[in-house]
Amino acid sequence: MEYQAKSIFISYKNDGEGRHFAGRLADKLENMGFGVYYNPKEQHAGNFPERLRKAVENCKDFILVLTQSCLDQLINHEKIDWVREELLTAYKCNKKIIPLLLSGVSMPKDKDEMPEDLRFLPDTDAILVAEPYDRAPLDILLSWMFSKPEKEDKYKNSFNNNREYDVNQDFIETLSLAQSGDVKSMYEIGIMYYFGFSSNGGSGSNADYKEAAKWFLKVAETENEFTAHANTMIAKMYFSGVMPRHGQSFEKCLERYKIAADGDSYAKSKYDLMTLQGLGCCFDYSELEKRIASGSDEQYSDERMDSRLFCEIASIYVSYGQFDKAAKIFERIKRKSPEVEYLKGMLYKRGVYNIAPGSIPIPNYSEAERCFRNASDGNHLEATYELANLYFNPINKELPDFHKAKHYFEKAALEGHTESQYKLGWIYEYGLSDEKNILKAIEWYEKAVINGHILASLQLAQLYQQSEVLDYRKAFENAKKSAEDVTDIAQFILANLYFFGRGTEADVDMAYRWYEAAYKHGIYQAKFMLDKIDRMF
């Protein structure tokens, strides 16, 4: 588990009194906006773990909760004593050490009673805390600490904030059932690995794609209600380029979506969208004509963002008989402006340039490229974007030219073209032109979000849960923005953030609401989280 630095480290003996007080103190400080490292699950027998050492080394204030049993343990120098190791690490690192003496506890008058390496402790200024716990000791503590509230970054690194759900235990139980051959659990453990619900706890920043793929592939080989959904997850992994031992493959992604389409509505919508865009396959205009003629767009609700592209292409067939007249007008114009070249390019791209009435549209992408290039040379933003798209989604089995696509997307993006900013971020995120560059991806997605691009918000919601740029607060803000505009996977991400308390206070009721919305829109894995919540209450 990647440790996220906290400014305050609370050390305590895992007895009833110490743990209870430390938990209350952690809650108070966190509610005030401080970054606090407090994890009762760390306090058990065994070797002092590296993550605890790093947590102490990275803190500003080391708060030592001293119950009588904790002090006795330090004095007696027991063999296994994590509090001792934490304290010595803090001392060696010159941390601000603040002992809190709980009711009835006092330091030895003779510091020689302490082990030699802990004789600094009785000379350290301490705060007396009597029960009932009142405000005065907290005010003293606040005045002594180096740490300051994180204010707007209060939830930036919030982790495992939902104390009503034990992700560790759930993970262990699900894995055990999966290993015994229970197919439902096999799919569910794949989901837990994919979204980072590991045995270390947490979500989003520590996904294990190797294990996720292993379980999804096992389920995909079976024939039951989970088979299609497992193939959907495999397709997503091929699309994102996280399938172990495989590079990114739109072709393999499309194959899996096609297999899953009959049993997973989400897979069917993605398969249709990819074939309409020519992503992972040759662009099949005749197939599009059949779909429009049969009214197959009924599968799309008014809410689905995918329907915009479908309706745009369908509109060609509604009015394409008028385009032959437009083409003749363009031919009469001797000096072709960037706007004219762009419009001609769109007609060539859609296959309706000089089309005879009643004929089937046949796109001419080479002519479209020529027109778009001419218009782009005249600084026409939409033409520059369309030219980039031709390189990004090549037709007739040509290989993509992501370097050229990046060049033209960037040209338009620098001029404020929103869709180009989003596509440029996409290229950086998945390393389609050069090496992956998450910071560059975030930079361009942020620009697109400012201009109102909802899918860019979705990408940011996922990126800000990656360890190298982890910021749960930003993940939450972007997930909420995207989910409220009915982006299905964003609804699932937002539900996870509410459930685990990432970037916000844990709120199981809100999590349930968004899991329901995600499930309604075809995100099958949301059903498992709904089941978990139903079992909890």
Side-chain angles (χ1 to χ4, degrees), residues 308-335:
R308 292 182 304 169
L309 176 63
F310 193 86
C311 292
E312 177 187 351
I313 300 176
S315 68
I316 297 172
Y317 289 93
V318 175
S319 58
Y320 73 79
Q322 302 296 318
F323 288 146
D324 60 328
K325 297 179 181 179
K328 292 177 182 179
I329 294 173
F330 291 145
E331 290 300 324
R332 295 193 186 103
I333 299 175
K334 294 182 178 180
R335 185 176 179 180

Side-chain angles (χ1 to χ4, degrees), residues 32-35 148-156 473:
M32 297 174 70
F34 289 96
K148 301 298 179 186
E150 297 174 355
K151 296 180 181 177
E152 68 273 9
D153 287 336
K154 172 182 176 182
Y155 296 111
K156 179 177 180 179
R473 180 178 59 84

Side-chain angles (χ1 to χ4, degrees), residues 26 31 42 73 102 167 179 190 214-215 282 293 387 409 437 531:
N31 289 334
E42 299 283 10
Q73 183 171 289
L102 300 196
V167 65
Q179 291 171 337
K214 180 182 78 174
W215 289 106
C282 295
L387 181 60
F409 279 138
N437 190 326
D531 290 344

Side-chain angles (χ1 to χ4, degrees), residues 171 173-194 210-224 226-227 229-230 233-234 524 528:
F171 178 89
E173 291 174 357
T174 305
L175 180 59
S176 177
L177 288 171
Q179 291 171 337
S180 70
D182 181 74
V183 179
K184 179 175 183 283
S185 298
M186 290 165 65
Y187 175 78
E188 186 172 0
I189 200 66
I191 292 294
M192 297 179 84
Y193 276 120
Y194 183 88
K210 181 178 180 181
E211 285 296 314
K214 180 182 78 174
W215 289 106
F216 289 144
L217 287 168
K218 285 184 178 182
V219 177
E221 293 173 355
T222 66
E223 292 185 10
N224 51 67
F226 307 106
T227 307
H229 305 302
M233 296 306 298
I234 294 170
Y524 187 74
F528 288 89

Side-chain angles (χ1 to χ4, degrees), residues 239-492:
F239 190 93
S240 301
V242 296
M243 177 63 73
R245 297 184 301 280
H246 294 272
Q248 186 178 51
S249 174
F250 296 142
E251 290 79 9
K252 291 184 186 302
C253 169
L254 192 65
E255 289 174 9
R256 291 287 177 168
Y257 275 143
K258 184 176 182 180
I259 295 170
D262 287 341
D264 189 319
S265 61
Y266 177 85
K268 180 168 178 54
S269 68
K270 290 300 179 184
Y271 175 76
D272 288 344
L273 178 61
M274 289 181 71
T275 53
L276 290 177
Q277 292 178 316
L279 200 58
C281 63
C282 295
F283 191 86
D284 190 343
Y285 228 77
S286 60
E287 180 65 22
L288 172 62
E289 183 183 24
K290 292 177 184 176
R291 291 180 194 169
I292 294 176
S294 64
S296 63
D297 57 335
E298 292 177 1
Q299 65 184 292
Y300 299 104
S301 70
D302 291 337
E303 298 175 316
R304 293 196 62 84
M305 298 188 66
D306 294 349
S307 65
R308 292 182 304 169
L309 176 63
F310 193 86
C311 292
E312 177 187 351
I313 300 176
S315 68
I316 297 172
Y317 289 93
V318 175
S319 58
Y320 73 79
Q322 302 296 318
F323 288 146
D324 60 328
K325 297 179 181 179
K328 292 177 182 179
I329 294 173
F330 291 145
E331 290 300 324
R332 295 193 186 103
I333 299 175
K334 294 182 178 180
R335 185 176 179 180
K336 304 296 191 296
S337 68
E339 180 67 15
V340 169
E341 290 289 348
Y342 165 68
L343 292 173
K344 284 179 62 180
M346 292 302 294
L347 295 181
Y348 277 122
K349 175 186 174 183
R350 294 172 175 174
V352 292
Y353 195 84
N354 281 336
I355 188 171
S359 299
I360 296 175
I362 302 176
N364 187 331
Y365 293 105
S366 60
E367 282 298 307
E369 179 185 359
R370 180 184 63 80
C371 291
F372 288 147
R373 189 185 297 278
N374 290 339
S376 178
D377 290 343
N379 297 319
H380 194 289
L381 286 186
E382 290 298 331
T384 303
Y385 168 73
E386 291 293 343
L387 181 60
N389 260 335
L390 287 181
Y391 293 124
F392 188 80
N393 290 332
I395 310 301
N396 299 330
K397 296 185 179 179
E398 295 179 9
L399 293 175
D401 191 332
F402 291 124
H403 289 286
K404 286 184 179 179
K406 176 185 173 185
H407 170 76
Y408 286 105
F409 279 138
E410 188 169 30
K411 179 180 177 181
L414 288 170
E415 295 298 323
H417 190 270
T418 304
E419 191 66 28
S420 294
Q421 292 170 339
Y422 169 71
K423 287 286 182 66
L424 188 57
W426 212 79
I427 286 176
Y428 277 119
E429 178 181 355
Y430 295 110
L432 298 183
S433 177
D434 303 296
E435 293 294 319
K436 290 184 179 183
N437 190 326
I438 300 302
L439 292 178
K440 278 286 188 181
I442 288 176
E443 176 186 340
W444 286 108
Y445 284 145
E446 293 279 14
K447 292 179 186 295
V449 167
I450 291 174
N451 292 327
H453 201 291
I454 298 304
L455 291 180
S457 293
L458 170 61
Q459 297 302 112
L460 288 173
Q462 297 177 93
L463 284 180
Y464 276 126
Q465 294 184 71
Q466 294 190 13
S467 58
E468 60 266 43
V469 290
L470 185 63
D471 190 328
Y472 284 125
R473 180 178 59 84
K474 290 183 179 179
F476 176 79
E477 290 172 355
N478 280 284
K480 194 168 188 292
K481 187 181 301 182
S482 188
E484 288 173 347
D485 281 276
V486 198
T487 306
D488 41 26
I489 193 63
Q491 293 171 337
F492 181 73

Side-chain angles (χ1 to χ4, degrees), residues 75-101:
I75 292 173
N76 296 329
H77 190 3
E78 295 182 5
K79 184 177 180 181
I80 297 176
D81 187 350
W82 284 18
V83 174
R84 172 188 173 82
E85 294 295 335
E86 294 165 359
L87 179 57
L88 287 174
T89 301
Y91 183 68
K92 291 173 184 176
C93 294
N94 295 313
K95 299 299 176 182
K96 175 73 171 181
I97 299 173
I98 307 176
L100 300 182
L101 305 180

